[in-house]
């Protein structure tokens, strides 16, 4: 058995025979021509034909992988029509009195070299685009067939790298996996694999080659390994891994669109936690009923300065629109403690977990807070947004927040900016103080969401980042469960809902307990949505006492 | 002549897709349109030129239009950059 290592770009296990794809490389010959005008006319005609083909590929790809990914073929058309590209070809033909094929090949090499020399991994990859479009033109000029890639039986497709025009002409039913010598996570092969949901590994290097054609192999798209002629032990391991993966997919098939209802008819909302706009796709794929926790910190972490109201607005709006009317609970800025951001210039603290963080920063620096609230309320006109405030310990904080919200409302009213009047405002229950006064807090807010990670750390006085404390840590500690019960009872007395968005929400051993407590919503990271749904649907008696 | 500065917010910078869209947008106008990053100034109507800037997240670029429809061009490009990059 030989094991090859590369970069995994999409998970999954594939078993099959390797088919090595070798590009037909017509050697371009340099020949002198008498009539350079005729050569230029040949080039123009070939270019027009190539653009026509790319238009067709664009339409085909749009149907298969969507407009965003198909756009590359429109970019390819523009590249062929680029003034500098055409000038270079025409100039070589006229100045050297050579054939169009040669002029295109030289131009392609020059432009590809420009990209390859760029100090940017993504841009380096674009050298492949230049070669791809140029080979198309040369192919047309020399009358060569632009052959698609086809196979009789499904294969693991191996290649040096695949050009976009090659990947789009593939017979997708016959591809079990892609493995390439070159390429990166930004290459078209990688993008296509993700769209097709098949395992793919790039950057396998010279170890992969034509000599492996026809060999039996297993591709592990989770860890980037390819096993050639796998031994019995590896085969068994991989089969097990593939079954676990299939089990996940089975859950998806069976449970998508189903209700989160127990056998005795109690329903619960299962939402997803997300950390950026792109995660919304995973939430939808896993059929989450809404977003129970959208951590807004990413907006602050990815910039070098405070994100503008407009940037924040766009992010919130996109998620709200994408979730199309489903609830999206956005938590306001929660930094400090273990999440530090340079430009905030926060003082160094002896005890950051008990320090200047989250809502405390927002109330001390209302200008930062107001920018975020304005963006949130503006976005509320585009979907079902709820706002959640972290690290609350007193009713006074909630009153202060409400004052700032009232100011934001009157500013928006004055500027005639639309926003929803029904935005729910809730708080995180993550301090023992908030639990002890949850009866008072419930009168002031629309909902609670329990952050079990911080609640555990503060209740048990255990630093969650200190590995030495492992043996003292008990996630199911009665103190925590009593705290959640108390907050739930107080929420319900005021007719408010309560969710759990911390790690404990995904703990299937506690699902039944939470249901009996009367918890209304559990919010978990997207891959846990369906396993949690399956668990809920298997529970017999879950009506609250 | 009209111009404005823009800080690239897209994580990937001006990569292939937005470069294509930008060139498309620029070609809607008769004015000469350039995009400058640092000391490098290129024709915004040519895709290879725009891509050769390799403008990254956080870079500041200047878009400049000169011609009869420069006002419209700058307004449209400003909107395009804010919305896409």
């Amino acid at each position: 058995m030989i094991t090859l290592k590369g970069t995994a770009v999409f998970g999954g296990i594939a078993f099959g025979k390797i088919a090595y794809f070798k590009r037909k490389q017509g050697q371009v010959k340099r020949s002198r021509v008498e009539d350079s005008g005729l050569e230029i006319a040949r080039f123009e005609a070939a270019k027009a034909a190539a653009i026509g083909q790319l238009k067709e590929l664009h339409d085909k790809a749009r149907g298969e992988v969507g407009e965003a990914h198909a756009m590359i073929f429109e970019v390819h058309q523009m590249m062929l029509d680029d003034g500098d590209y055409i000038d270079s070809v025409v100039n070589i033909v006229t100045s050297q009195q050579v054939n169009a094929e040669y002029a295109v090949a030289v131009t392609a090499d020059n432009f590809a070299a420009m990209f390859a020399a760029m100090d940017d991994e993504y841009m380096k990859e674009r050298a492949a685009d230049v070669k791809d479009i140029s080979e198309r033109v040369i192919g047309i000029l020399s009358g060569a067939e632009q052959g698609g890639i086809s196979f009789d039986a499904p294969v693991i497709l191996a290649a040096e790298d695949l050009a976009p025009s090659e990947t789009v002409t593939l017979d997708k039913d016959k591809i079990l996996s892609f493995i390439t010598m070159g390429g990166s996570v930004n290459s078209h092969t990688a993008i296509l694999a993700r769209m097709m949901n098949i395992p793919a590994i790039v950057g396998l290097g010279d170890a992969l080659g034509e000599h492996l054609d026809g060999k039996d192999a297993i591709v592990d798209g989770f860890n980037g390994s390819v096993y050639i002629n796998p031994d019995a032990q590896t085969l068994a391991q991989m089969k097990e891994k593939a079954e676990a993966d299939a089990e996940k997919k089975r859950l998806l098939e069976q449970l998508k669109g189903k209700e989160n209802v127990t056998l005795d008819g109690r329903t619960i909302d299962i939402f997803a936690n997300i950390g950026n706009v792109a995660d919304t796709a995973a939430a939808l794929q896993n059929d989450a009923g809404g977003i129970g926790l959208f951590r807004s910190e990413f907006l602050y972490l990815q910039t070098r300065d405070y994100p503008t109201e407009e940037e924040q607005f766009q992010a919130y709006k996109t998620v709200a629109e994408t979730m199309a009317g489903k609830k999206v609970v956005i938590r306001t800025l929660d930094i400090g403690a273990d999440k530090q951001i340079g430009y905030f210039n926060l003082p160094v603290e002896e005890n950051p977990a008990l320090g200047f963080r989250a809502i405390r920063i927002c109330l001390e620096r209302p200008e930062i807070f107001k920018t975020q609230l304005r963006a949130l309320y503006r976005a509320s006109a585009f979907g079902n947004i709820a706002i959640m405030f972290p690290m609350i310990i007193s009713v006074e904080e909630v009153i202060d927040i409400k004052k700032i919200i009232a100011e934001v409302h009157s500013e928006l009213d004055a500027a005639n900016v639309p926003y929803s009047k029904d935005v729910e405002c809730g708080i995180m229950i993550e301090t023992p103080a908030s639990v002890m006064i949850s009866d008072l807090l419930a009168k002031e807010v629309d909902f609670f969401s329990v952050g079990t990670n911080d609640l555990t750390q503060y209740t048990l006085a255990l630093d969650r980042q200190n590995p030495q404390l492992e043996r003292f840590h008990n996630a199911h500690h009665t103190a925590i469960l009593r705290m959640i019960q108390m907050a739930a009872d107080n929420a319900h007395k005021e007719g408010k809902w309560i969710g759990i968005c911390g790690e404990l929400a995904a703990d299937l051993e506690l699902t039944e307990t939470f249901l009996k407590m009367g918890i209304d919503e559990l919010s978990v990271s997207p891959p846990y949505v369906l396993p949690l749904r399956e668990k809920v649907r298997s529970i017999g008696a879950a009506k609250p006492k | 002549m009209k111009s404005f500065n823009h800080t690239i917010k897209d994580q990937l910078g001006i990569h292939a897709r937005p470069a294509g869209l930008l060139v498309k947008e620029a070609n809607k106008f008769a004015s000469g349109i350039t995009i400058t990053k640092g000391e490098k100034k290129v024709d915004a109507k040519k895709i290879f030129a725009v891509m050769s800037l390799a403008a990254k997240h956080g870079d500041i670029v200047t878009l400049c239009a000169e011609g009869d429809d420069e006002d419209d061009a700058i307004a449209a490009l400003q909107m395009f950059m804010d919305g896409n990059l």
Side-chain angles (χ1 to χ4, degrees), chain A residues 127-320:
Chain A
D129 296 84
V130 183
K131 291 203 165 134
D132 192 21
I133 58 162
S134 303
E135 271 162 24
R136 179 175 297 281
V137 174
I138 293 169
I140 293 166
L141 279 168
S142 55
E145 286 281 316
Q146 279 275 339
I149 310 172
S150 58
F151 309 97
D152 299 333
V155 294
I156 296 169
L157 183 64
E160 193 177 323
D161 197 5
L162 291 164
S165 62
E166 287 159 353
T167 51
V168 80
T169 53
L170 287 173
D171 182 356
K172 310 270 186 307
D173 298 337
K174 300 279 167 60
I175 310 292
L176 300 166
S177 167
F178 290 117
I179 51 176
T180 63
M181 298 165 72
S184 72
V185 289
N186 289 321
S187 63
H188 292 289
T189 314
I191 293 168
L192 186 77
R194 287 192 283 261
M195 295 307 300
M196 288 169 61
N197 283 319
I198 61 171
I201 299 172
V202 298
L204 285 158
D206 292 339
L208 183 66
E210 210 177 346
H211 61 286
L212 296 177
D213 190 68
K215 293 258 194 301
D216 281 317
I218 304 175
V219 177
D220 182 344
F222 296 108
N223 71 4
S225 303
V226 181
Y227 306 99
I228 314 289
N229 293 331
D231 55 36
Q233 194 195 345
T234 308
L235 188 68
Q237 275 174 359
M238 287 298 116
K239 279 207 167 127
E240 208 169 288
K241 215 165 167 179
E243 270 163 30
D245 189 42
E247 167 69 11
K248 242 171 76 185
K249 292 199 174 103
R250 182 192 62 78
L251 275 185
L252 197 72
E253 289 300 316
Q254 278 191 357
L255 294 169
K256 246 186 158 165
K258 295 271 169 61
E259 268 189 282
N260 309 307
V261 62
T262 59
L263 296 172
D264 63 338
R266 155 114 161 87
T267 58
I268 187 165
D269 284 325
I270 301 179
F271 288 1
N273 295 342
I274 62 171
N276 58 52
V277 176
D279 289 347
T280 319
L284 286 173
Q285 271 165 15
N286 288 286
D287 204 25
I291 303 295
L293 169 63
F294 179 12
R295 302 182 185 91
S296 61
E297 291 80 69
F298 82 98
L299 285 162
Y300 298 83
L301 290 165
Q302 72 183 14
T303 51
R304 289 171 205 178
D305 202 348
Y306 297 100
T308 63
E309 179 183 320
E310 190 62 28
E311 284 168 307
Q312 297 196 46
F313 164 68
Q314 290 297 345
Y316 305 146
K317 172 173 172 270
T318 305
V319 174

Side-chain angles (χ1 to χ4, degrees), chain A residues 402-437:
Chain A
K402 284 185 172 174
K403 277 186 201 144
I404 297 174
I405 290 175
E407 287 172 32
V408 168
H409 281 176
S410 47
E411 284 170 24
L412 292 175
D413 287 336
N416 248 334
V417 178
Y419 63 92
S420 164
K421 311 278 180 207
D422 311 315
V423 174
E424 286 188 332
C425 285
I427 57 169
M428 295 279 292
I429 295 290
E430 53 188 337
T431 62
S434 65
V435 175
M436 297 312 291
I437 59 164

Side-chain angles (χ1 to χ4, degrees), chain A residues 71 74 78 82 122 311, chain B residues 9 15 17 20 24 46-47:
Chain A
M71 173 81 197
E74 205 176 344
M78 295 167 100
D82 183 272
Y122 173 84
E311 284 168 307
Chain B
K9 289 188 247 15
H15 53 110
R17 218 149 51 80
K24 227 162 126 180
K46 291 178 173 173
I47 189 150

Side-chain angles (χ1 to χ4, degrees), chain A residues 33-46 93-94 97-101 141:
Chain A
V33 295
E34 294 306 318
D35 187 350
S36 56
L38 185 71
E39 279 309 293
I40 290 164
R42 280 184 66 225
F43 166 65
E44 290 289 350
V93 169
T94 48
Q97 291 278 306
V98 289
N99 53 331
E101 288 92 331
L141 279 168

Side-chain angles (χ1 to χ4, degrees), chain A residues 357-514:
Chain A
R357 57 173 293 200
I359 200 69
R360 298 169 184 176
I361 296 174
C362 290
L363 290 173
E364 277 290 304
R365 297 194 188 165
E367 69 287 353
I368 298 174
F369 195 32
K370 261 178 121 168
T371 303
Q372 181 167 35
L373 288 171
R374 279 180 61 100
L376 284 166
Y377 275 98
R378 281 175 59 198
S380 72
F382 297 87
N384 183 4
I385 283 179
I387 306 175
M388 176 159 78
F389 304 99
M391 276 297 284
I392 296 292
I393 57 165
S394 72
V395 174
E396 288 71 27
E397 287 166 340
V398 177
I399 305 290
D400 287 345
I401 292 167
K402 284 185 172 174
K403 277 186 201 144
I404 297 174
I405 290 175
E407 287 172 32
V408 168
H409 281 176
S410 47
E411 284 170 24
L412 292 175
D413 287 336
N416 248 334
V417 178
Y419 63 92
S420 164
K421 311 278 180 207
D422 311 315
V423 174
E424 286 188 332
C425 285
I427 57 169
M428 295 279 292
I429 295 290
E430 53 188 337
T431 62
S434 65
V435 175
M436 297 312 291
I437 59 164
S438 50
D439 54 332
L440 307 175
L441 289 166
K443 293 184 204 298
E444 298 294 333
V445 301
D446 299 313
F447 65 92
F448 288 162
S449 186
V450 184
T452 52
N453 304 4
D454 271 333
L455 185 61
T456 304
Q457 132 162 310
Y458 293 136
T459 303
L460 304 183
L462 275 177
D463 181 352
R464 64 181 188 199
Q465 277 158 4
N466 185 344
Q468 261 193 310
L469 300 175
E470 201 59 47
R471 63 169 286 207
F472 301 103
H473 190 271
N474 173 9
H476 298 187
H477 199 294
T478 308
I480 309 299
L481 298 178
R482 284 189 185 171
M483 289 235 175
I484 298 173
Q485 181 72 67
M486 184 173 172
D489 290 345
N490 284 327
H492 291 147
K493 265 180 214 151
E494 298 295 331
K496 309 293 166 67
W497 63 271
I498 179 167
I500 299 176
C501 65
E503 269 169 41
L504 233 43
D507 188 332
L508 299 181
E509 288 175 32
L510 289 175
T511 310
E512 187 165 350
T513 307
F514 290 149

